[in-house]
Amino acid sequence: GGTVIKWCSLVFDWIRGDAKEKDNWEQRANELLLACNDFIDTSTVETNVTQTEINVAYQHCEKLRLHLCEGRDVLVVAPEKTFIETLKDKSNELEKWSQDQIVKSEGSLSLKMAKLDRYEDPKTALQERGEFLDSLILRRKLHSSTKKPAEPLICSDGDVRSRARFKIEKLMKKVMRM
């Protein structure tokens, strides 16, 4: 019984930390939503849309989608479903706006160009890409040769919450055996 009581405070601290992480995630999501709303407000006023605006819309869509994926993979305490739906709807709205503008432009605008611009941006380009890749491959080989592979988590539904619960249960059982 005493062992469980010791672990309760740790579990409570972990849950409190997860709740703070959820709050931080929601704050970043609200900032993204504000940026998207500002973009939509300014872009719907103009009649002549440029390739740059299509690129910005695409970047906002990607940021929203990546943020949703981060939330799905990292958060243990789930945000409200309506908030998630709002993020998805805003991403879909930006994508629909981009598609409508591309159709209206009759071929002068392209989503393909927006995707290419993301990879050809000088701010994200690496000059010595080969050296970095070789270094990463070497590190991975060294890491895999020194450590045994981590045991896979086997969960029924595979979501983050059940994996976390599985880890906590496994840890508590291990400690109780000591």
Side-chain angles (χ1 to χ4, degrees):
T3 307
V4 173
I5 292 173
K6 281 193 264 184
W7 282 101
C8 286
S9 64
L10 286 174
V11 171
F12 181 71
D13 288 339
W14 292 336
I15 292 172
R16 189 176 342 155
D18 291 335
K20 286 181 185 177
E21 181 65 29
K22 182 194 91 143
D23 293 340
N24 292 337
W25 183 86
E26 285 180 343
Q27 181 181 4
R28 290 189 313 267
N30 282 326
E31 291 169 3
L32 283 172
L33 280 174
L34 283 173
C36 291
N37 287 334
D38 290 343
F39 173 76
I40 289 172
D41 292 342
T42 58
S43 62
T44 54
V45 173
E46 300 176 16
T47 56
N48 295 333
V49 176
T50 64
Q51 183 64 44
T52 306
E53 290 170 327
I54 297 294
N55 296 354
V56 171
Y58 175 73
Q59 289 171 358
H60 283 304
C61 276
E62 286 296 305
K63 286 178 185 177
L64 284 171
R65 288 184 183 138
L66 287 173
H67 199 66
L68 283 168
C69 288
E70 175 191 340
R72 181 190 66 216
D73 295 339
V74 174
L75 295 178
V76 175
V77 179
E80 292 181 23
K81 187 174 182 178
T82 55
F83 187 67
I84 298 292
E85 293 299 322
T86 303
L87 290 174
K88 288 179 182 178
D89 291 344
K90 189 60 66 176
S91 177
N92 292 337
E93 180 183 347
L94 282 169
E95 186 174 9
K96 184 179 181 310
W97 178 85
S98 297
Q99 293 297 334
D100 291 344
Q101 296 305 319
I102 289 170
V103 169
K104 287 179 189 176
S105 72
E106 298 174 353
S108 64
L109 300 175
S110 168
L111 192 58
K112 184 178 180 181
M113 291 301 295
K115 292 177 182 179
L116 286 176
D117 284 347
R118 183 179 76 176
Y119 294 112
E120 295 175 358
D121 186 9
K123 292 182 274 184
T124 61
L126 293 174
Q127 299 302 324
E128 298 88 19
R129 185 171 300 194
E131 293 177 25
F132 285 117
L133 289 174
D134 291 342
S135 173
L136 286 173
I137 290 171
L138 178 64
R139 284 183 181 188
R140 185 172 180 156
K141 286 180 184 174
L142 291 174
H143 181 71
S144 65
S145 66
T146 58
K147 290 184 88 177
K148 66 176 188 164
E151 82 178 52
L153 289 176
I154 302 170
C155 300
S156 60
D157 54 354
D159 66 346
V160 175
R161 186 172 291 158
S162 65
R163 286 185 289 188
R165 190 178 307 120
F166 177 77
K167 282 185 175 181
I168 291 171
E169 288 174 2
K170 185 177 174 184
L171 182 65
M172 291 182 86
K173 286 178 185 178
K174 184 177 180 182
V175 169
M176 286 181 181
R177 277 189 249 136
M178 291 181 159

